[in-house]
Amino acid sequence: MALTLAPLLRDARIDLGDAIVIRHAYVPLHEDTGSRGLNPNSTDAEILAYTRNQGVTGFPAAPPRLWVVFIKEGGGEARLWSVLENRGEVSNDGVRREFDLVETDMMADLHGRLVIQWSAPRRWWMNAAPASLNAVTGIADAEPIPFPGFDELILSHEDLQAVMREPRYASWRTALGAVKGVYLITDTRDGRQYVGKADGADTLRGRWAAYAANGHGGNRDLRGLDASSFRFSVLRVFDPATPEGVINTAESHYKRALDTRTHGLNAN
């Protein structure tokens, strides 16, 4: 049985009764106003501005809250651009209407990746219920995200789980797996901090994978805390050949410098 758009919309918690699906085509100019249309080089800001501006005729009088926007491709296909929230009409001159639209994070992991077959070639928008029956023809691999460097690395627990799981973060896992080091976990609810280390047989990747899996990484000081409020960063990295004693000394230094034994989460 072919995959359709329906389960992807449901997974994103998009109510089919409160959404429309739009397919933009590349059009040099609006026929009724002569204003600029879309082209293959249109920016996200230009696509958003284009979507905000609709005609008085040929569009729902009271469009729903969510607009799932695709861009037309060859062969009757369309690629997901974004999911927008409609916050209402802000102007209407009798010819064109402008809406207050904002981007949401719904289906964000599929932006630019999800391709469907558009089943109604003469229509550029459909209510979500019939549109949900459109067949999915492809989901492209996610674009790799470049590793920002250890000095720029600040991750929430949710971010850390994504780094350890998703293909687009492969270079991040490679970098973390190539070093040992001293790291910092901050509980953003109260500001308390925990200094830890990856040494011995462990790399930063191995150590942080444990935190991604259960939140506490086996540290008794962190058990019972809500890992969703944790923020992970790197204090210092070491070559894997660095003697364990050197890493221990660095860890002790940061515990003293940040006072994490008295006012933080380190018990020793």
Side-chain angles (χ1 to χ4, degrees), residues 26 36-47 71:
Y26 294 131
R36 185 179 179 183
L38 296 181
N39 63 73
N41 297 317
S42 294
T43 65
D44 287 343
E46 290 170 337
I47 297 172
I71 305 294

Side-chain angles (χ1 to χ4, degrees), residues 55-226:
V56 170
T57 60
F59 195 66
R65 185 175 68 90
L66 296 176
W67 300 10
V68 185
V69 182
F70 287 79
I71 305 294
K72 183 179 179 179
E73 295 199 340
E77 294 181 327
R79 187 177 297 272
L80 179 64
W81 174 67
S82 188
V83 179
L84 307 177
E85 180 184 358
N86 168 29
R87 296 183 175 177
E89 185 178 284
V90 295
S91 68
N92 185 333
D93 64 4
V95 177
R96 306 297 301 179
R97 307 158 69 193
E98 185 175 353
F99 293 86
D100 180 12
L101 302 180
V102 296
E103 292 192 63
T104 74
D105 61 1
M106 292 178 172
M107 302 181 77
D109 59 330
L110 294 174
H111 291 181
R113 299 174 56 213
L114 172 64
V115 179
I116 64 171
Q117 187 71 37
W118 192 259
S119 61
R122 293 182 179 275
R123 300 202 60 183
W124 63 273
W125 70 268
M126 303 171 66
N127 289 318
S132 71
L133 302 179
N134 287 331
V136 172
T137 59
I139 300 178
D141 290 339
E143 286 291 323
I145 298 177
F147 182 64
F150 295 106
D151 290 341
E152 301 295 327
L153 201 59
I154 301 175
L155 302 173
S156 68
H157 187 250
E158 183 179 10
D159 292 337
L160 180 62
Q161 290 176 316
V163 166
M164 294 300 164
R165 179 183 66 245
E166 296 180 12
R168 57 184 176 157
Y169 290 107
S171 66
W172 299 43
R173 293 192 293 275
T174 298
L176 291 168
V179 296
K180 298 178 181 181
V182 179
Y183 56 86
L184 182 70
I185 300 175
T186 301
D187 189 338
T188 58
R189 291 172 304 176
D190 55 22
R192 291 188 298 167
Q193 296 177 316
Y194 176 89
V195 173
K197 64 180 178 180
D199 62 0
D202 246 342
T203 61
L204 276 175
R205 174 181 177 177
R207 195 72 201 91
W208 280 15
Y211 290 113
N214 59 28
H216 55 72
N219 297 121
R220 62 177 182 175
D221 307 329
L222 303 180
R223 290 182 185 273
L225 299 179
D226 182 1

Side-chain angles (χ1 to χ4, degrees), residues 12-59:
R13 298 183 179 180
I14 294 175
D15 182 353
L16 298 187
D18 193 26
I20 57 174
V21 180
I22 292 172
R23 184 194 64 168
H24 286 319
Y26 294 131
V27 179
L29 296 173
H30 283 296
E31 292 182 1
D32 53 358
T33 65
S35 59
R36 185 179 179 183
L38 296 181
N39 63 73
N41 297 317
S42 294
T43 65
D44 287 343
E46 290 170 337
I47 297 172
L48 179 58
Y50 181 84
T51 310
R52 283 176 171 157
N53 194 291
Q54 299 294 335
V56 170
T57 60
F59 195 66

